Amino acid sequence: MKKLLYTVMCCCALASCTNLDSERYDAINPDFFPTNEKDAEALVVGGVYAPFRSAEYSGVFSTAHSFQVIGDMSTDIAVCCWVNDSWIPLTTHNWTPNHSYTTLNYTDYAKYLGTMTLTLDRISNVEMSDEKKALLVSETHLGRGWLAFLLYDFYGPIPIPTLEDLQNPLDEVIEPRATQEEMTKFIETELTESLKGLPTRTTQFGRFDKGLAYTVLMKFYMHEKNWAKAEECGRELLKAEYGYGLMSNYADIFTLENEGNKEIIFACTEERGTNLQLWHDHALPGNYPTQNTAIQKWDGYKVPWPFYRTFEKGDDRLTVLVGEYVGTDGVLFNEESDIQKHGNLYSGAVPVKYGEDPESTGDGSQIDLVVYRYADVLTLLSEAIVRKGNAVTSEALDLLNQVRVRAKLNPYVMGDVKGVDDFLQKVLDERGHELWFEGVRRSDLIRHGQFIQNARDRGCTTTKDEFVLFPLPQAVINEGKGKIIQNPGY
């Protein structure tokens, strides 16, 4: 399969042997880079695509501490058995502005908004075909809008760096946080602008395309409760030219043999020697039986037993969410034995999710890490239709049933639905069962007004109503000298 492989590059200034003034080797000199199409391509791959990867412990989708993992860990759908200061606050809603994991993605990736803004400027005057320039510009707009949305979802409005400030780095300018209106306008403008030069579907797997742009837009509109525009995006993605569809079997979505399958809208591309994701390392207990015995198993992530018990009997998704097995040591794993080992709060079923990488010799898998897929779109569209019209329609029911039937469950009929609220709860439950550990649970619960109550029902006595947003890092507040204000509740 032809993939886009993410290589983070450092484009350095060249040093003159006759100039003894200090030179910077960690910055791009725009006087001679980029100068051609190849340079511009490298700049976009290295500066725009770089955050959107899962490369061991790097990237916003790293299996170690991604937006997906951290978000789900703050809900009823995920826990980590490594009971330490990194993970306990996520489970108990007891985080602070100094907590490493709730602030890490801001600290590590907010700076890429500036990198992308400079990239957009630097490629604007490079001579290349109109088609290629339109593609690179659109990819950069999508990168800015997507990253801004991920940060906005977690932290609320953030400072948006301006080109003028970025071009004068020696000037001490502290950009305040954007207003709500400025932030949402920036995200929407960047994402819609990206549609102008992107292909409907990329021919190079892992590259940005309109399918991804419309998916991010749809999620943004759902976040903003703009149901009409969310519905428009969802209907766009149903069109035949996008070629999306559900795989026949749930487990087949996440295998090496089926990389780039019709259900995947975007995945982080993995390849041995370049990028590897660490899902099985984090999720499998040490005695979990695998054909490849070299796979690392650190007994970390679990889906809590109370949530696991909400699955219906015969749900095919339980083939890769394992509640019972006999270990390689002959010991039976089940709810009782797991609670004895890890306690009630940090135990659960094993989220196997991905197939095995037969070439793994220890850490890491070359199976592409799924970020967005078609089942997510179908269920969001079902929800948007009902919310917009405040009525349950046969179309909305059919969209939800497509996912249920694939899971080998009986489809709902209208008689099963007791009204709009009951249907929306069914959508929320179905999305939890379908998309566990794919990073949607936190935003779903917030949108349904259940995030904080869900935490309190689990015994999180330290949570606050304001904890729908994570705090900005304390270091950012300190450096802001009063111009950057912390989120309420911290």
Side-chain angles (χ1 to χ4, degrees), residues 465-485:
D465 291 345
E466 297 91 344
F467 279 15
V468 291
L469 291 178
F470 288 126
L472 295 184
Q474 188 59 46
V476 171
I477 302 301
N478 295 343
E479 292 166 5
K481 299 179 181 179
K483 289 188 177 182
I484 298 178
I485 308 301

Side-chain angles (χ1 to χ4, degrees), residues 62 64 92 133 206 211 226 283 312 370 410 434 439 445 451 465 483:
S62 161
T92 61
K133 179 171 286 189
N226 189 331
E312 296 173 52
V370 176
N410 293 327
E434 175 71 20
L445 288 172
F451 180 66
D465 291 345
K483 289 188 177 182

Side-chain angles (χ1 to χ4, degrees), residues 122-140:
R122 286 166 176 164
I123 66 176
S124 62
N125 295 317
V126 176
E127 290 188 10
M128 62 183 110
S129 69
D130 291 343
E131 182 180 8
K132 184 65 174 182
K133 179 171 286 189
L135 173 62
L136 295 179
V137 167
S138 292
E139 288 176 320
T140 306

Side-chain angles (χ1 to χ4, degrees), residues 272 278 281 292 294-298 359-365:
R272 195 156 297 284
L278 303 176
D281 307 60
N292 180 357
I295 293 173
Q296 289 289 317
K297 305 164 189 176
W298 301 334
E359 297 180 13
S360 179
T361 57
D363 294 3
S365 170

Side-chain angles (χ1 to χ4, degrees), residues 131-176:
E131 182 180 8
K132 184 65 174 182
K133 179 171 286 189
L135 173 62
L136 295 179
V137 167
S138 292
E139 288 176 320
T140 306
H141 280 299
L142 177 50
R144 283 206 304 181
W146 187 12
L147 182 58
F149 171 58
L150 291 173
L151 293 166
Y152 168 63
D153 179 34
F154 264 53
Y155 303 104
I158 63 172
I160 301 174
T162 67
L163 179 60
E164 181 181 2
D165 291 344
L166 293 166
Q167 289 176 330
N168 297 279
L170 298 182
D171 295 344
E172 187 175 351
V173 177
I174 298 173
E175 193 72 42

Side-chain angles (χ1 to χ4, degrees), residues 13 61 108 132 209 244 249 256 268 315 389 399 437:
F61 300 115
D108 284 0
K132 184 65 174 182
D209 56 23
Y244 296 128
N249 296 304
L256 189 63
C268 297
D315 193 321
L399 289 166
F437 266 111

Side-chain angles (χ1 to χ4, degrees), residues 184-251:
T184 54
K185 182 179 179 180
F186 177 82
I187 295 169
E188 184 177 22
T189 300
E190 290 299 300
L191 294 176
T192 52
E193 192 70 20
S194 75
L195 295 169
K196 295 179 180 178
L198 292 173
T200 301
R201 287 291 299 272
T202 181
T203 57
Q204 188 177 9
F205 189 67
R207 199 102 196 189
F208 296 171
D209 56 23
K210 285 184 179 178
L212 172 61
Y214 274 114
T215 301
V216 180
L217 256 176
M218 185 182 195
K219 286 177 171 288
F220 167 71
Y221 288 135
M222 293 297 289
H223 184 282
E224 297 303 294
K225 300 184 178 180
N226 189 331
W227 315 124
K229 286 192 174 182
E231 180 184 350
E232 289 177 9
C233 292
R235 292 195 183 283
E236 175 69 23
L237 292 165
L238 295 184
K239 292 180 179 178
E241 55 259 40
Y242 289 90
Y244 296 128
L246 295 179
M247 294 288 284
S248 298
N249 296 304
Y250 184 81

Side-chain angles (χ1 to χ4, degrees), residues 84-137:
N84 57 41
D85 290 342
S86 295
W87 300 101
I88 292 174
L90 293 170
T91 301
T92 61
H93 278 219
N94 195 26
W95 51 73
T96 72
N98 290 311
H99 178 236
S100 59
Y101 275 15
T102 53
T103 59
L104 181 144
N105 286 314
Y106 187 97
T107 301
D108 284 0
Y109 300 107
K111 59 192 174 186
Y112 274 95
L113 288 178
T115 301
M116 294 177 195
T117 299
L118 287 170
T119 297
L120 196 61
D121 179 63
R122 286 166 176 164
I123 66 176
S124 62
N125 295 317
V126 176
E127 290 188 10
M128 62 183 110
S129 69
D130 291 343
E131 182 180 8
K132 184 65 174 182
K133 179 171 286 189
L135 173 62
L136 295 179
V137 167

